[in-house]
Amino acid sequence: MLKGDIMKNQILETAEKLFTTRGYEGTSVQDILDILHSSKGSFYHHFVSKEAVLEKLCERRAILAAEETVKELENSKLKITDQIDLVMNRMIPLHGSQYAFLKMLLPIFNKDEGRSIRVCYQEALENAFVSVLDETLRKAVEMNQIYPAYKESIAGTCAQLVNDCWYRIVKIIVEDNKADRRVDLSELTKIIETTANAIQRILEAPYGSFQLMDCNDLKLLVDQVSQHWNRFSSER
């Protein structure tokens, strides 16, 4: 690995640790440099801003999630429609290691800078997962398990619906926590069911083929976000 690439990776790894522990807004470029004992010139040689670092981290996180999903599919004995559901589920960054990364973004999600980061993360997820989803859908068509009227771009369409679904869920949870309201799980469940049904119709898949997200996982998510938000609020 080239010296420049090593430094770039060190900046990214250090930044992610600081963003996670101190919060994105609570971390400055100088904080990153202090740990690395490096200069601003070195930082700005690789990144134009702190936001650019976070955008790159979003891209790396999405790629990692897609790679892990591919490995999971390779070792899976699930039927093909369940494999499609698995890919879409893993694209939703609301559980596991993806959630650990996402919760760092929550406090800035509805701010101007946070909106651009959210779009960046959604695009990164779509770019990383669309080829995995496309291959899984292709197999399902060949096996006569789904019967989409239009086979072109259906992976991209499904990925966009999944992206919209998880963001709507996060938006409601964040807004309710900011307003100190109790999150209505039935409202979130309806969003998931509506999205799953829309994808089912697009793919002409059997009724009930897709779940996208388990209700227990959804409740756990709400509890985790509430705990994280309360901790973040008290620290502020």
Side-chain angles (χ1 to χ4, degrees):
M1 184 179 291
L2 297 176
K3 185 177 180 180
D5 292 334
I6 293 175
M7 185 60 193
K8 185 175 183 178
N9 284 332
Q10 288 177 340
I11 291 172
L12 288 168
E13 290 169 3
T14 302
E16 184 166 8
K17 289 178 182 178
L18 289 176
F19 292 165
T20 302
T21 55
R22 301 183 185 180
Y24 174 74
E25 292 180 302
T27 302
S28 67
V29 170
Q30 190 59 53
D31 291 331
I32 299 170
L33 296 176
D34 287 345
I35 290 179
L36 293 175
H37 304 291
S38 187
S39 66
K40 286 189 176 180
S42 177
F43 177 91
Y44 289 111
H45 174 73
H46 297 288
F47 301 99
V48 297
S49 64
K50 184 177 73 168
E51 183 177 346
V53 173
L54 187 52
E55 288 177 353
K56 186 63 178 179
L57 288 173
C58 287
E59 180 183 329
R60 283 176 45 154
R61 179 59 59 179
I63 291 172
L64 177 62
E67 289 175 346
E68 291 175 346
T69 301
V70 170
K71 291 179 181 178
E72 195 170 355
L73 287 174
E74 290 173 348
N75 299 320
S76 172
K77 295 183 180 179
L78 295 172
K79 63 182 182 180
I80 193 65
T81 50
D82 288 341
Q83 290 182 36
I84 296 170
D85 200 31
L86 174 68
V87 174
M88 293 188 293
N89 174 271
R90 298 300 184 264
M91 182 180 167
I92 298 175
L94 304 182
H95 46 69
S97 62
Q98 287 199 80
Y99 169 70
F101 177 78
L102 177 68
K103 71 179 182 179
M104 175 263 294
L105 302 175
L106 295 179
I108 66 168
F109 239 42
N110 288 335
K111 299 181 180 180
D112 289 340
E113 192 172 18
R115 291 189 186 97
S116 64
I117 292 298
R118 183 259 301 174
V119 171
C120 172
Y121 195 22
Q122 287 182 305
E123 289 179 348
L125 285 166
E126 182 175 343
N127 291 336
F129 273 86
V130 72
S131 61
V132 183
L133 185 56
D134 184 63
E135 176 63 16
T136 312
L137 293 175
R138 183 189 63 78
K139 291 179 181 178
V141 170
E142 291 178 351
M143 296 169 66
N144 295 319
Q145 295 299 304
I146 60 174
Y147 306 88
Y150 301 98
K151 297 181 177 61
E152 294 184 5
S153 303
I154 54 171
T157 300
C158 292
Q160 289 172 8
L161 286 169
V162 172
N163 257 333
D164 178 68
C165 175
W166 74 256
Y167 175 62
R168 288 169 63 197
I169 289 171
V170 167
K171 188 172 186 290
I172 290 172
I173 295 175
V174 168
E175 289 178 346
D176 284 351
N177 275 278
K178 286 179 68 176
D180 198 25
R181 292 192 299 262
R182 183 175 182 178
V183 179
D184 185 352
L185 280 172
S186 64
E187 182 181 8
L188 305 185
T189 301
K190 186 175 181 179
I191 291 172
I192 293 172
E193 291 176 347
T194 300
T195 304
N197 289 336
I199 292 173
Q200 178 181 292
R201 289 195 295 271
I202 290 170
L203 299 181
E204 291 293 334
Y207 177 78
S209 293
F210 310 122
Q211 188 176 16
L212 297 187
M213 192 170 182
D214 183 81
C215 290
N216 292 328
D217 289 341
L218 188 61
K219 184 179 185 304
L220 180 61
L221 168 70
V222 171
D223 292 341
Q224 288 178 330
V225 173
S226 297
Q227 291 172 12
H228 175 72
W229 197 268
N230 291 335
R231 181 176 66 83
F232 167 77
S233 300
S234 63
E235 291 174 353
R236 296 284 287 183

PDB file of all heavy atoms in Angstrom, residues 85 112 123 134 176 180 202:
ATOM      1  N   ASP A  85     -35.466 -11.160   0.029  1.00  0.00           N
ATOM      2  CA  ASP A  85     -35.848 -10.470   1.260  1.00  0.00           C
ATOM      3  C   ASP A  85     -34.613 -10.195   2.117  1.00  0.00           C
ATOM      4  O   ASP A  85     -34.488  -9.125   2.724  1.00  0.00           O
ATOM      5  CB  ASP A  85     -36.856 -11.323   2.029  1.00  0.00           C
ATOM      6  CG  ASP A  85     -37.667 -10.504   3.031  1.00  0.00           C
ATOM      7  OD1 ASP A  85     -37.911  -9.313   2.768  1.00  0.00           O
ATOM      8  OD2 ASP A  85     -38.065 -11.067   4.066  1.00  0.00           O
ATOM      9  N   ASP A 112     -29.020  20.768   7.874  1.00  0.00           N
ATOM     10  CA  ASP A 112     -28.615  20.941   6.471  1.00  0.00           C
ATOM     11  C   ASP A 112     -27.480  19.997   6.087  1.00  0.00           C
ATOM     12  O   ASP A 112     -27.542  19.317   5.067  1.00  0.00           O
ATOM     13  CB  ASP A 112     -28.195  22.395   6.223  1.00  0.00           C
ATOM     14  CG  ASP A 112     -29.387  23.343   6.251  1.00  0.00           C
ATOM     15  OD1 ASP A 112     -30.524  22.856   6.077  1.00  0.00           O
ATOM     16  OD2 ASP A 112     -29.179  24.542   6.461  1.00  0.00           O
ATOM     17  N   GLU A 123     -27.328   6.822  -1.450  1.00  0.00           N
ATOM     18  CA  GLU A 123     -26.745   6.536  -2.767  1.00  0.00           C
ATOM     19  C   GLU A 123     -25.676   5.466  -2.661  1.00  0.00           C
ATOM     20  O   GLU A 123     -25.574   4.588  -3.530  1.00  0.00           O
ATOM     21  CB  GLU A 123     -26.158   7.818  -3.362  1.00  0.00           C
ATOM     22  CG  GLU A 123     -27.209   8.834  -3.796  1.00  0.00           C
ATOM     23  CD  GLU A 123     -26.599  10.105  -4.348  1.00  0.00           C
ATOM     24  OE1 GLU A 123     -25.362  10.294  -4.184  1.00  0.00           O
ATOM     25  OE2 GLU A 123     -27.342  10.916  -4.929  1.00  0.00           O
ATOM     26  N   ASP A 134     -29.792  -7.340  -8.072  1.00  0.00           N
ATOM     27  CA  ASP A 134     -30.059  -7.654  -9.478  1.00  0.00           C
ATOM     28  C   ASP A 134     -29.763  -9.120  -9.779  1.00  0.00           C
ATOM     29  O   ASP A 134     -30.555  -9.792 -10.461  1.00  0.00           O
ATOM     30  CB  ASP A 134     -29.209  -6.756 -10.378  1.00  0.00           C
ATOM     31  CG  ASP A 134     -29.513  -6.954 -11.847  1.00  0.00           C
ATOM     32  OD1 ASP A 134     -30.661  -6.684 -12.258  1.00  0.00           O
ATOM     33  OD2 ASP A 134     -28.615  -7.389 -12.597  1.00  0.00           O
ATOM     34  N   ASP A 176     -39.866  12.093  16.760  1.00  0.00           N
ATOM     35  CA  ASP A 176     -40.606  11.779  17.980  1.00  0.00           C
ATOM     36  C   ASP A 176     -39.716  11.909  19.212  1.00  0.00           C
ATOM     37  O   ASP A 176     -40.160  12.390  20.269  1.00  0.00           O
ATOM     38  CB  ASP A 176     -41.194  10.368  17.910  1.00  0.00           C
ATOM     39  CG  ASP A 176     -42.430  10.297  17.019  1.00  0.00           C
ATOM     40  OD1 ASP A 176     -42.919  11.370  16.615  1.00  0.00           O
ATOM     41  OD2 ASP A 176     -42.890   9.185  16.712  1.00  0.00           O
ATOM     42  N   ASP A 180     -39.979  14.471  22.325  1.00  0.00           N
ATOM     43  CA  ASP A 180     -40.266  13.717  23.545  1.00  0.00           C
ATOM     44  C   ASP A 180     -41.629  13.024  23.459  1.00  0.00           C
ATOM     45  O   ASP A 180     -42.392  12.977  24.421  1.00  0.00           O
ATOM     46  CB  ASP A 180     -40.215  14.628  24.778  1.00  0.00           C
ATOM     47  CG  ASP A 180     -40.067  13.837  26.082  1.00  0.00           C
ATOM     48  OD1 ASP A 180     -39.537  12.713  26.019  1.00  0.00           O
ATOM     49  OD2 ASP A 180     -40.482  14.339  27.132  1.00  0.00           O
ATOM     50  N   ILE A 202     -44.390  -5.107  -7.857  1.00  0.00           N
ATOM     51  CA  ILE A 202     -43.436  -4.829  -8.936  1.00  0.00           C
ATOM     52  C   ILE A 202     -42.814  -6.122  -9.455  1.00  0.00           C
ATOM     53  O   ILE A 202     -42.645  -6.309 -10.667  1.00  0.00           O
ATOM     54  CB  ILE A 202     -42.336  -3.872  -8.447  1.00  0.00           C
ATOM     55  CG1 ILE A 202     -42.906  -2.466  -8.225  1.00  0.00           C
ATOM     56  CG2 ILE A 202     -41.176  -3.801  -9.453  1.00  0.00           C
ATOM     57  CD1 ILE A 202     -41.958  -1.526  -7.515  1.00  0.00           C
TER      58      ILE A 202
END
